[in-house]
Amino acid sequence: MPAAITLAVVDDDQTIREAMRGLRLSFLYQGPLFHSAEAFLTSKERANVDCIVMDVHMPGLLGMKLKSEPNRPWPHPPMLPITSSVDERTRNAASADGTFALLRKTLTVDNLIRSLRFALTRPA
């Protein structure tokens, strides 16, 4: 039996985190939920994460900044940023750091799962 995929969710909205918990379980993913980017960065669990789904706009360190965090001592897993508002600045920031998908919070389960599968199977 293949190892379960570890998917971290970083979002300041508890409703989103809980919805993602249920979704992960439905698709046999496992992994921690974090209320902030700082909580993720200080967690020992980050070392075992295969992919991160993160909110772009949160108090404190913004989700998009996780990729460029200078003190990130973990291997760089694929990241799927989600946002409720996709403006030009956010699109440009995502494009500049190599993000291949920028998902809207009104995303469908199919779109999220398709993006996750793509992120997990593309070459590093």
Side-chain angles (χ1 to χ4, degrees), residues 13-122:
D13 185 330
Q14 183 174 353
T15 305
I16 298 294
R17 289 193 311 271
E18 292 304 317
M20 291 296 291
R21 178 191 311 271
L23 181 70
R24 282 188 339 213
L25 293 174
S26 297
F27 286 90
L28 304 178
Y29 296 137
Q30 62 183 10
L33 304 172
F34 299 97
H35 68 278
S36 70
E38 292 86 355
F40 172 78
L41 289 170
T42 59
S43 170
K44 292 178 182 167
E45 294 176 284
R46 75 179 183 274
N48 300 317
V49 169
D50 297 307
C51 188
I52 304 168
V53 174
M54 68 200 171
D55 187 4
V56 171
H57 302 288
M58 295 182 285
L61 182 65
L62 298 177
M64 295 296 284
K65 297 293 184 186
L66 275 176
K67 269 191 162 177
S68 60
E69 174 57 38
N71 298 319
R72 60 177 169 82
W74 81 95
H76 193 286
M79 296 184 182
L80 291 174
I82 58 173
T83 182
S84 56
S85 61
V86 179
D87 57 23
E88 185 175 342
R89 186 172 141 199
T90 303
R91 269 193 302 277
N92 290 342
S95 178
D97 73 6
T99 299
F100 63 92
L102 181 61
L103 305 172
R104 293 191 65 108
K105 277 199 176 179
T106 56
L107 68 136
T108 65
V109 171
D110 289 341
N111 190 20
L112 176 61
I113 297 302
R114 187 175 24 256
S115 296
L116 281 170
R117 288 181 178 153
F118 179 73
L120 291 165
T121 58
R122 70 179 229 172

